[in-house]
Amino acid sequence: MAEVSKTNPYLNEPITVVYKLYFSHNIGISNWRELDKPKYNDFWSQNIDIKQLVAEEGTYNGERFRYVVLRKTVLYPQKSGKLEIEPLSLDIDVELPTNRRNIFGQVMLTKDHKRVSAGSKIINVKPLPENGKPIDFSGAVGKFDFKVIPSKTTLKNGESMDLEVSVSGTGNLKLFSLPKPVVPTALEMYDPVHSEKVNTPLSGMNGKISDKYTIIPQFKGIYNIKPIQFSYFDLGTNSYKTITSDEITINVADGPTSPNAGNDNPGNASVAKKTVDAQEQFKFIHLKTKLSQINKKDFFGSTTYYVLLGIPFLLIPFIILFKKKKEAIDGDVMGNKLKMNNKLAKKYLSEAKKQLGNKEPFYVALEKSLHNFLKAKLKIETSEMSKELIKEFLADKKAQPETIEKFIQITENCELARYAQFSNVAMRQDFDKAAEVISELEKQIS
């Protein structure tokens, strides 16, 4: 059974899906396998890890049952309208009572297989209201706090400062972009460093995201960074809210004077006219001279001539060493093959990113990237790559069990993509997971 927390959420409002398996008290369950995994088309999804299955008492259709929670998932709908959550189908090994008893009078059990399905669910997603929607609204939904904090406001010539733009709270933190500050032309601002400290429990995302800009002043003076606005849709009041930061004043104590003094704001960056004083029409005669010889010595037979003549002979030992090193590298067939596989893994991962939105070329490139990564790290060929063998090799290389399972899941998604429909959201999630898994295995594999 699939229990959905809310069937009519707003766009980007979190909902949860909990899959429970109910069974009678006289039935035993020894094993279960997923036949059809639920696909969350047009949803951003995050599975909640369940470390151990625990049987609990519950009621279903008015009757007492035992149940176990198989899967918990947090979903954020990415478009409005009727969206379908596909069913979870299971193959279960059960132990059923018979009419026979053993010599101790206990009921004897027989083993059997049962196939069950949680059934599909329809979610009616409401669009965010157009009435009162701010112009700068970027899709943030939840309850947030917005801050713009400079590392310092008084600078010396050559010093830099950091300007952190951050949003914290509860909501779809990974699904919107932060507003960008606008600074005077006399302040040089570099591209931001983005960071995320976000947790995703069953209640939805919470934490903090931030963009940190490095700013370096070019001229001395006093500069104002205008207030920045951040708008979001508050699910508590079902209305839009806007938070405005304070204006920031930067005092640059020394350094060269700006040629646009008095026009330091971005909207007034026109070049100021410079008045030429009449006394500056004539300049002083230079008092120092720089003389050079008219009659120079011949190049042939000079010191420079002999130096240039001897350089090729001095380079001979280095050329010999370089040639030997190159021959050694060319002779290292296995090393060159591993390097080539590593390059191919990066190449196909880059190709997969370019093919986001095109299902077949995307998953072909993603699968090739994963295979070439394994060939580079585990020194095995593609023909050897069964799932069990991959798990065994990765475990021998000290990879974490969670990372191994993530890798297997992504390879399964690449296989399923040939027969099933995958949304752009699902492809983006698979790409991010693949890049994350490759990064984790790079650190873990010994």
Side-chain angles (χ1 to χ4, degrees):
M1 177 180 178
E3 296 182 355
V4 180
S5 63
K6 194 170 186 178
T7 57
N8 60 338
Y10 276 107
L11 184 71
N12 267 313
E13 179 181 358
I15 62 173
T16 58
V17 183
V18 179
Y19 295 92
K20 295 181 180 179
L21 176 64
Y22 287 86
F23 54 95
S24 301
H25 288 76
N26 61 346
I27 293 178
I29 296 178
S30 58
N31 193 16
W32 62 275
R33 295 168 295 279
E34 291 185 357
L35 297 177
D36 295 317
K37 295 182 179 180
K39 300 179 183 65
Y40 308 111
N41 297 325
D42 301 312
F43 289 92
W44 184 94
S45 63
Q46 176 69 56
N47 289 327
I48 308 299
D49 291 334
I50 299 176
K51 296 182 179 179
Q52 185 177 2
L53 299 181
V54 179
E56 301 181 49
E57 297 289 332
T59 304
Y60 180 68
N61 289 337
E63 297 184 22
R64 298 284 297 173
F65 285 92
R66 289 188 298 166
Y67 72 88
V68 290
V69 176
L70 301 178
R71 183 193 288 263
K72 296 179 181 179
T73 305
V74 181
L75 301 177
Y76 284 83
Q78 297 300 291
K79 74 175 186 178
S80 57
K82 290 187 177 181
L83 305 182
E84 181 183 5
I85 299 177
E86 297 183 3
L88 171 65
S89 299
L90 304 175
D91 183 18
I92 306 173
D93 296 335
V94 296
E95 296 177 345
L96 302 174
T98 65
N99 294 326
R100 296 180 297 167
R101 295 179 179 270
N102 58 21
I103 59 175
F104 301 103
Q106 297 173 331
V107 176
M108 298 182 67
L109 302 177
T110 182
K111 293 184 177 181
D112 197 0
H113 296 278
K114 294 290 182 182
R115 291 192 174 187
V116 296
S117 174
S120 62
K121 295 289 182 180
I122 300 298
I123 309 298
N124 294 302
V125 182
K126 298 179 291 186
L128 298 177
E130 293 296 327
N131 186 25
K133 181 183 288 187
I135 298 176
D136 62 343
F137 179 69
S138 61
V141 177
K143 184 70 174 178
F144 301 107
D145 186 23
F146 175 65
K147 293 181 180 179
V148 180
I149 302 175
S151 59
K152 60 179 74 173
T153 55
T154 300
L155 301 174
K156 296 180 181 179
N157 183 32
E159 282 188 333
S160 65
M161 59 168 282
D162 292 329
L163 185 67
E164 183 181 47
V165 180
S166 65
V167 170
S168 59
T170 302
N172 60 334
L173 286 162
K174 295 184 178 181
L175 303 176
F176 62 85
S177 56
L178 293 170
K180 184 176 180 179
V182 178
V183 301
T185 54
L187 303 178
E188 186 174 0
M189 183 172 70
Y190 293 85
D191 291 337
V193 176
H194 183 76
S195 64
E196 296 180 354
K197 296 180 180 179
V198 181
N199 298 315
T200 310
L202 202 58
S203 57
M205 297 185 215
N206 63 75
K208 175 183 176 181
I209 61 173
S210 65
D211 284 340
K212 184 174 288 187
Y213 297 84
T214 297
I215 296 176
I216 301 176
Q218 304 299 304
F219 307 100
K220 70 177 180 180
I222 297 176
Y223 306 99
N224 295 324
I225 299 177
K226 294 181 178 180
I228 309 173
Q229 290 186 336
F230 170 73
S231 300
Y232 67 95
F233 183 74
D234 190 344
L235 292 172
T237 61
N238 290 340
S239 62
Y240 293 98
K241 293 187 177 180
T242 299
I243 304 174
T244 304
S245 65
D246 296 329
E247 185 176 64
I248 299 172
T249 300
I250 307 298
N251 183 14
V252 183
D254 56 8
T257 303
S258 170
N260 299 328
N263 296 284
D264 296 314
N265 290 325
N268 300 317
S270 60
V271 178
K273 294 182 179 179
K274 183 176 180 180
T275 303
V276 179
D277 189 24
Q279 296 180 359
E280 294 182 354
Q281 295 180 13
F282 299 97
K283 301 293 183 179
F284 289 105
I285 298 174
H286 288 289
L287 300 178
K288 293 183 179 180
T289 59
K290 194 171 184 181
L291 303 176
S292 60
Q293 290 183 352
I294 297 176
N295 297 323
K296 296 182 179 179
K297 293 182 179 180
D298 292 334
F299 175 74
F300 182 82
S302 64
T303 304
T304 306
Y305 169 81
Y306 288 110
V307 169
L308 295 176
L309 188 63
I311 285 177
F313 297 98
L314 296 175
L315 291 177
I316 290 174
F318 297 97
I319 294 173
I320 295 173
L321 290 174
F322 174 80
K323 186 177 180 182
K324 288 184 177 179
K325 187 175 182 180
K326 187 176 184 305
E327 290 175 351
I329 293 174
D330 293 339
D332 185 8
V333 177
M334 180 59 71
N336 291 334
K337 192 172 183 181
L338 295 179
K339 289 179 182 177
M340 179 58 68
N341 289 335
N342 203 15
K343 288 181 180 179
L344 287 173
K346 294 179 181 178
K347 173 186 173 182
Y348 284 120
L349 189 62
S350 177
E351 179 63 24
K353 186 174 183 180
K354 295 178 183 177
Q355 295 295 340
L356 278 170
N358 299 323
K359 186 190 74 173
E360 292 187 8
F362 168 78
Y363 279 104
V364 168
L366 193 64
E367 188 175 30
K368 286 183 178 179
S369 175
L370 297 173
H371 282 200
N372 279 285
F373 174 78
L374 286 185
K375 286 158 68 174
K377 294 299 179 183
L378 303 183
K379 303 178 182 179
I380 60 176
E381 294 297 328
T382 308
S383 58
E384 303 175 37
M385 288 187 184
S386 66
K387 294 178 184 178
E388 292 74 20
L389 192 59
I390 289 174
K391 290 181 180 180
E392 181 181 347
F393 274 126
L394 290 176
D396 291 341
K397 291 290 185 177
K398 310 301 182 184
Q400 297 294 326
E402 297 84 359
T403 308
I404 297 174
E405 289 300 321
K406 288 180 184 177
F407 188 94
I408 297 301
Q409 183 181 2
I410 296 170
T411 57
E412 289 177 350
N413 285 354
C414 292
E415 296 172 0
L416 286 173
R418 301 170 185 169
Y419 314 104
Q421 293 294 326
F422 274 65
S423 68
N424 292 344
V425 175
M427 282 189 276
R428 182 69 199 186
Q429 290 175 14
D430 286 341
F431 176 80
D432 292 340
K433 288 177 183 176
E436 180 183 355
V437 165
I438 289 176
S439 178
E440 290 177 0
L441 288 176
E442 284 279 5
K443 301 175 184 177
Q444 296 172 11
I445 289 179
S446 58

